[in-house]
Amino acid sequence: METVDEFRTRARTWLESGGLPRLPEGERWDPLADDDDHASRARELQKMIWDGGFAGICYPTEYGGLGLTVEHQRAFDAETCEIHEMPFIFSTPTHSICGPTLLDCATETQKQRHIPPMLRGEELWVQFMSEPSGGSDMAGALTTATRDGEVFLLNGSKVWSTYAYRADYAICLARTDWSRPKHRGLSMFIVPIHDPRTTIVQIEMIDGNKEFCQEYFDDVEIPLGNVVGEVNDGWTVASRLLFHEKTTVGRVSPYVSVPYRDATDTSMAGFVALARAGGRIDDPDARRKIGQIEMLLTVQAHLTGRIGSGLKTKYFPDQAGAIARLFSGTTYVERANIGLDLAGPDAVVWEGDDDRQNVSMAYLLRQARCIGGGTIEMARNVVSERILGMPREYAADKDVAFGDVKRGR
Amino acid sequence: MELELTDDQRLFHETSRKFLDVNMATTAVRALAANPDGFDRDWWRSGAGLGWTSLLVDESHGGGAISGTGLADLAIVAEELGRHVGPGPLLAVNVVANAVSRLGSAAQQAAVLPGLLDGSQMATWCLRDAGGKWTRHSASTATAPTGPRRPEAQSNEPAAVASARGVGFEINAKKVMVEAAAQADWLLVTAATTAGPTQFLLPSTTPGIKITPSTSVDLVRRYATVRFNGVQVGLDAVLGTVGHAAQNIERQLQVALVLQCAEMTGAAGKVFEFTCEYATDRYSFGRPLASYQALKHRFADMKTWLEASYATTLAAAAAVHAQGPDAPRLASVAKAYVADRTPEIIHDCIQMHGGIGVTWEHDLHLYLRRVTLLRAMYGTPDEHRERIATIVIEREDAVNGNR
Ligand SMILES: Cc1cc2nc3c(=O)[nH]c(=O)nc-3n(C[C@H](O)[C@H](O)[C@H](O)COP(=O)(O)OP(=O)(O)OC[C@H]3O[C@@H](n4cnc5c(N)ncnc54)[C@H](O)[C@@H]3O)c2cc1C
């Protein structure tokens, strides 16, 4: 296997010869950009990575990946993230959640059909899990797929699917048998997003971006070959998906691109600049806050490293991704709070174009980081019940035909 | 604490754990509260026999690590000591033993190390000046001598003064919160000279030294104030080079911080474990405490803080061992985090116990005392946050060419 150092050298050489465009000086990737250009640009960038021989670093070679390790992925992150333009919308969920779930549960044909295009930047995927009736109780899905000859007919609605309107495929959980208890009547489907019988509506978020979507399905035909795993065994697939989701949100996943922190990391620059702009760079209270953020981000990196290697060696059970997920949510909250504090009143009233408005936007959208990817309350349930082995919560829907379960309005 | 110990480390861990299980139950810790030393010297000699004082000493001087990283090996002992809230000058002796092994003259090594290695002698580090600070704010830069200084003007410099006297020095200092000073045979004292910070190694019986025991919140860890009144020492008492101790002081501090973090994490880890059991066994309204979501969520938070504490302590141990440029930052990150979270974990566990949790009878307070003590020694979380900020601001300014 190519060593990490050899790999890094190869990546550097490729990047120096213009493999990926550099971000303009002083400019950083805008995670909230929601224009169509951003999506088509991401496809181009992912294609460049493929052509350069760096796509799917931890994916098996038989599906077009490189078959390397998480250390290789992190080395690549360090060379690229925050320096070059990167197709981050492919990273999550296409490469870090949907692809790995297919690797775990899909048929050989399905994998050959979809994984290489994901790595080439041709297929952007999203998740159709949450529904208007509830996202935490994912197994309570009401969206229904009914067998009709050689197809399933999909009816119902999914919501909060990020980027869906500009994506190509979704991995979608739907009920295939209402007479069985809830976990045993679900199936997982590969669903092409753009279909005349699917209506997609964009939803505006607090900061004005429209990445959220809701889909309405009206007898959408899904070929039998698009079932992932067994019919009515969709929860097994969903469990793998949840695993990959937790490890992604907790930054533990080997498939996700994460901005790497080391001595030259610049992500603290913003906090220092805020303190300086507010004339508080020598104020001990401001300095403690800067220290607190640096501390938390550093500990987060140590924790994700620990969980990641512990998952690999089975020291930790699969559910341990929830520990990292919980830490990332609560850390983000402190980070947003401290940003707002350091920025002072300029973050809430400004003239013209002031960087500090980003700080208040991050603050306003703070809780999104504690909700998306599974809420931190659900993560706390998993840690206490599945890792610490404490008694599970009472569930009124256990061992009852799902059709008979009480629902809210 | 380690995800994967080597076979040798596992054996070492097992041996230390069993040794402490047998002779350092919390009943034994409580009994030692009345002992002026806080520990039994034969017990310490047995611990030294297991290797507790040799891990940071070079093989050529009779020491030796278990793995390639002696500090990680020693952190195993510190964690286990924390799990037992055991006594003993583990931190003090190892910091000095390491410094003497690295910096000492052959004569100093011959005089000091054998006694520390076999546990027949103790040593400690006199760092903190009365009214001073634990940490130098910029760890990477040594301050050049600037002629006679007024010590109190610069709080990050030792206020203790050693003035040149003939071919030696005269030390005048008041050092506070010195661990096991009354038990120690050797004192390593950090002082300012006109040439810069300098360290001296001297017998605790040297004329002019007065040791006054203090009282600490811990039942068995002993501290004292050490006064140096016109103490005359020769050049042979200097450890390392006159005026160039800054880097060594920083390194000693880092070693102390890692050991504290391991001990605090061990203490909180033990409390967390028995509190999880308690919550499973105790019933309220006909069901276990551990079945209530309000409590389960707090356990989940504690578990997360605990794993993060383990993770950052191990990262700091590796960085301090390697002595790369990141060591000061990672040592302070670990201290700020672990010292912030572990007392909270124990307080939360007290809450989970209800009334019994705030009694003298229950052992919880032994652990709380230990982490409360260590939280403050060698710098509170706030002090380390400020140190981290200084490092970060310097780093960012260097990257952006500011200032
Ligand atoms: C930025 C972002 C991106 C997202 N992207 C996607 C996506 O691409 N695809 C997709 O399918 N979904 C996505 N989601 C949806 C997300 O997964 C759900 O919002 C989440 O799972 C919560 O579901 P809900 O919104 O229905 O809230 P609910 O499940 O109704 O929960 C409401 C509140 O009750 C709490 N709660 C619920 N049940 C319990 C319980 N048993 N114990 C304790 N507390 C409980 C929750 O923690 C929450 O605080 C995204 C969400 C966000 C914010």
Side-chain angles (χ1 to χ4, degrees):
Chain A
M1 197 200 302
E2 185 176 18
T3 68
V4 174
D5 283 337
E6 290 162 2
F7 176 78
R8 186 185 288 110
T9 307
R10 181 159 72 85
R12 265 186 202 159
T13 313
W14 175 67
L15 290 164
E16 275 159 17
S17 70
L20 272 180
R22 282 182 84 92
L23 283 171
E25 199 65 48
E27 201 169 297
R28 315 182 85 202
W29 172 71
D30 176 5
L32 298 179
D34 63 346
D35 48 296
D36 287 334
D37 289 354
H38 186 66
S40 47
R41 182 68 179 151
R43 290 174 195 269
E44 286 169 18
L45 294 168
Q46 183 59 36
K47 181 73 166 53
M48 291 179 205
I49 294 178
W50 168 274
D51 289 339
F54 295 97
I57 293 167
C58 294
Y59 275 76
T61 49
E62 55 268 45
Y63 307 114
L66 304 185
L68 297 172
T69 68
V70 64
E71 286 76 27
H72 293 82
Q73 175 69 49
R74 296 295 165 256
F76 190 71
D77 293 342
E79 299 300 323
T80 54
C81 299
E82 308 202 2
I83 307 168
H84 294 271
E85 274 190 76
M86 282 287 282
F88 283 106
I89 67 170
F90 269 93
S91 174
T92 304
T94 307
H95 293 158
S96 68
I97 302 176
C98 303
T101 305
L102 293 187
L103 285 179
D104 291 347
C105 306
T107 63
E108 188 58 27
T109 316
Q110 289 167 336
K111 288 190 262 196
Q112 291 294 356
R113 164 67 190 80
H114 292 290
I115 305 235
M118 284 176 172
L119 301 183
R120 288 196 297 264
E122 291 159 11
E123 286 188 10
L124 186 62
W125 281 58
V126 296
Q127 307 174 76
F128 284 174
M129 298 296 137
S130 305
E131 301 195 0
S133 55
S136 301
D137 185 10
M138 208 170 97
L142 305 181
T143 293
T144 305
T146 317
R147 179 80 186 259
D148 182 23
E150 286 311 292
V151 296
F152 279 94
L153 293 178
L154 192 65
N155 283 287
S157 179
K158 293 284 177 180
V159 72
W160 319 134
S161 31
T162 315
Y163 301 130
Y165 67 100
R166 53 192 189 198
D168 307 292
Y169 285 91
I171 187 155
C172 176
L173 188 66
R175 189 156 304 282
T176 35
D177 191 342
W178 285 72
S179 68
R180 291 162 160 252
K182 78 171 177 183
H183 292 94
R184 281 174 266 155
L186 294 165
S187 304
M188 194 69 91
F189 294 91
I190 295 169
V191 173
I193 291 179
H194 299 285
D195 184 292
R197 309 200 70 98
T198 300
T199 310
I200 304 181
V201 177
Q202 284 176 251
I203 300 172
E204 190 167 355
M205 292 176 84
I206 293 176
D207 66 348
N209 92 76
K210 293 181 181 150
E211 68 180 43
F212 260 179
C213 295
Q214 178 161 8
E215 301 77 26
Y216 300 90
F217 312 111
D218 178 17
D219 278 342
V220 179
E221 292 186 5
I222 313 289
L224 295 188
N226 284 20
V227 178
V228 183
E230 301 296 318
V231 172
N232 288 332
D233 192 30
W235 189 247
T236 302
V237 186
S239 302
R240 293 310 298 163
L241 181 135
L242 285 174
F243 168 76
H244 293 300
E245 184 177 67
K246 290 293 165 293
T247 54
T248 292
V249 179
R251 292 178 157 202
V252 174
S253 165
Y255 305 106
V256 71
S257 306
V258 286
Y260 190 76
R261 293 178 50 73
D262 63 13
T264 61
D265 179 62
T266 52
S267 67
M268 285 303 290
F271 290 98
V272 174
L274 286 174
R276 192 162 270 139
R280 295 181 65 199
I281 196 71
D282 293 320
D283 167 16
D285 181 52
R287 292 175 83 94
R288 281 177 208 140
K289 287 183 164 142
I290 290 172
Q292 172 76 1
I293 288 302
E294 171 78 6
M295 175 200 89
L296 283 173
L297 296 180
T298 306
V299 173
Q300 183 172 3
H302 297 156
L303 178 66
T304 55
R306 176 176 176 84
I307 303 284
S309 45
L311 285 172
K312 211 155 64 182
T313 60
K314 303 280 173 206
Y315 175 91
F316 288 122
D318 277 359
Q319 290 84 1
I323 294 176
R325 191 278 169 270
L326 177 53
F327 197 93
S328 77
T330 55
T331 295
Y332 190 82
V333 168
E334 276 205 57
R335 194 176 162 163
N337 290 356
I338 289 178
L340 193 73
D341 264 348
L342 291 178
D346 294 310
V348 292
V349 177
W350 62 87
E351 269 179 39
D353 209 14
D354 189 318
D355 273 356
R356 276 172 285 192
Q357 64 187 269
N358 297 334
V359 173
S360 58
M361 284 309 151
Y363 178 78
L364 295 178
L365 254 182
R366 192 185 82 176
Q367 293 308 119
R369 299 288 189 110
C370 297
I371 298 169
T375 69
I376 57 173
E377 288 77 22
M378 293 307 289
R380 288 185 174 107
N381 286 349
V382 171
V383 174
S384 56
E385 295 177 359
R386 310 296 293 280
I387 297 173
L388 299 175
M390 293 179 162
R392 310 275 295 249
E393 289 300 301
Y394 166 73
D397 53 9
K398 207 170 167 237
D399 299 326
V400 183
F402 190 71
D404 299 335
V405 172
K406 253 194 210 151
R407 290 200 291 276
R409 280 187 289 163
Chain B
M1 158 157 349
E2 295 265 13
L3 291 176
E4 260 162 82
L5 298 176
T6 64
D7 287 346
D8 290 343
Q9 279 180 318
R10 189 170 302 119
L11 185 67
F12 176 64
H13 183 191
E14 276 304 293
T15 316
S16 291
R17 190 175 59 75
K18 282 190 189 134
F19 173 71
L20 287 165
D21 280 350
V22 168
N23 56 40
M24 207 44 77
T26 51
T27 45
V29 176
R30 285 169 183 270
L32 285 167
N35 179 324
D37 289 342
F39 64 96
D40 180 81
R41 285 177 177 260
D42 285 336
W43 173 82
W44 180 251
R45 218 171 279 131
S46 308
L50 299 179
W52 290 4
T53 57
S54 47
L55 296 162
L56 302 186
V57 173
D58 197 80
E59 271 176 36
S60 58
H61 308 311
I66 307 290
S67 68
T69 312
L71 191 53
D73 302 337
L74 187 56
I76 296 174
V77 183
E79 182 197 355
E80 215 38 73
L81 207 57
R83 290 180 65 87
H84 290 81
V85 272
L90 187 80
L91 185 155
V93 168
N94 276 293
V95 165
V96 177
N98 181 238
V100 174
S101 171
R102 287 187 302 109
L103 309 165
S105 64
Q108 286 169 326
Q109 287 165 344
V112 175
L113 291 177
L116 300 185
L117 288 170
D118 70 15
S120 59
Q121 291 202 323
M122 328 266 150
T124 191
W125 180 21
C126 306
L127 171 65
R128 186 181 169 101
D129 297 292
K133 283 194 144 198
W134 291 107
T135 54
R136 295 164 41 82
H137 275 165
S138 178
S140 48
T141 49
T143 314
T146 52
R149 65 181 72 229
R150 295 199 38 224
E152 58 284 0
Q154 276 199 304
S155 60
N156 62 350
E157 282 292 304
V161 183
S163 323
R165 282 282 177 283
V167 288
F169 288 88
E170 178 184 308
I171 305 173
N172 285 289
K174 182 180 175 189
K175 294 289 186 177
V176 294
M177 298 169 201
V178 181
E179 182 180 346
Q183 291 73 38
D185 303 278
W186 296 94
L187 302 177
L188 173 61
V189 54
T190 300
T193 67
T194 51
T198 304
Q199 302 202 95
F200 301 90
L201 184 65
L202 48 162
S204 55
T205 49
T206 309
I209 293 179
K210 185 161 175 275
I211 298 174
T212 319
S214 339
T215 311
S216 92
V217 293
D218 196 273
L219 293 188
V220 290
R221 282 277 160 83
R222 301 288 180 253
Y223 292 82
T225 296
V226 184
R227 288 183 181 79
F228 298 79
N229 295 322
V231 175
Q232 307 289 325
V233 296
L235 283 178
D236 55 350
V238 174
L239 185 72
T241 323
V242 172
H244 291 86
Q247 299 284 356
N248 295 320
I249 297 167
E250 169 62 27
R251 183 158 171 182
Q252 288 159 212
L253 175 72
Q254 291 167 12
V255 169
L257 293 172
V258 167
L259 295 179
Q260 290 190 309
C261 288
E263 192 170 343
M264 287 187 278
T265 307
K270 173 76 182 179
V271 170
F272 180 73
E273 286 166 23
F274 70 63
T275 306
C276 283
E277 279 174 33
Y278 183 80
T280 304
D281 295 343
R282 187 169 173 87
Y283 275 59
S284 159
F285 297 90
R287 48 190 263 213
L289 295 179
S291 70
Y292 289 96
Q293 193 179 53
L295 306 190
K296 287 198 298 191
H297 281 195
R298 290 170 69 167
F299 279 106
D301 284 333
M302 288 191 256
K303 172 72 174 169
T304 302
W305 301 335
L306 203 51
E307 290 299 336
S309 294
Y310 286 128
T312 194
T313 299
L314 288 172
V320 171
H321 173 82
Q323 281 298 299
D326 226 11
R329 183 177 74 92
L330 293 183
S332 280
V333 161
K335 176 67 199 272
Y337 186 80
V338 174
D340 184 80
R341 288 296 95 195
T342 52
E344 287 309 312
I345 292 174
I346 298 179
H347 275 305
D348 246 14
C349 286
I350 289 177
Q351 181 69 17
M352 300 293 165
H353 276 78
I356 188 74
V358 290
T359 61
W360 183 270
E361 176 197 341
H362 200 287
D363 287 338
L364 278 157
H365 71 103
L366 305 187
Y367 300 91
L368 183 61
R369 285 167 185 278
R370 179 61 52 85
V371 297
T372 303
L373 173 83
L374 297 179
R375 177 185 180 280
M377 299 300 292
Y378 297 103
T380 59
D382 267 349
E383 199 170 338
H384 284 279
R385 285 184 187 102
E386 288 185 47
R387 192 167 107 114
I388 296 164
T390 302
I391 296 170
V392 168
I393 292 167
E394 277 175 10
R395 181 185 76 198
E396 295 303 332
D397 286 349
V399 172
N400 302 324
N402 261 356
R403 272 252 151 79

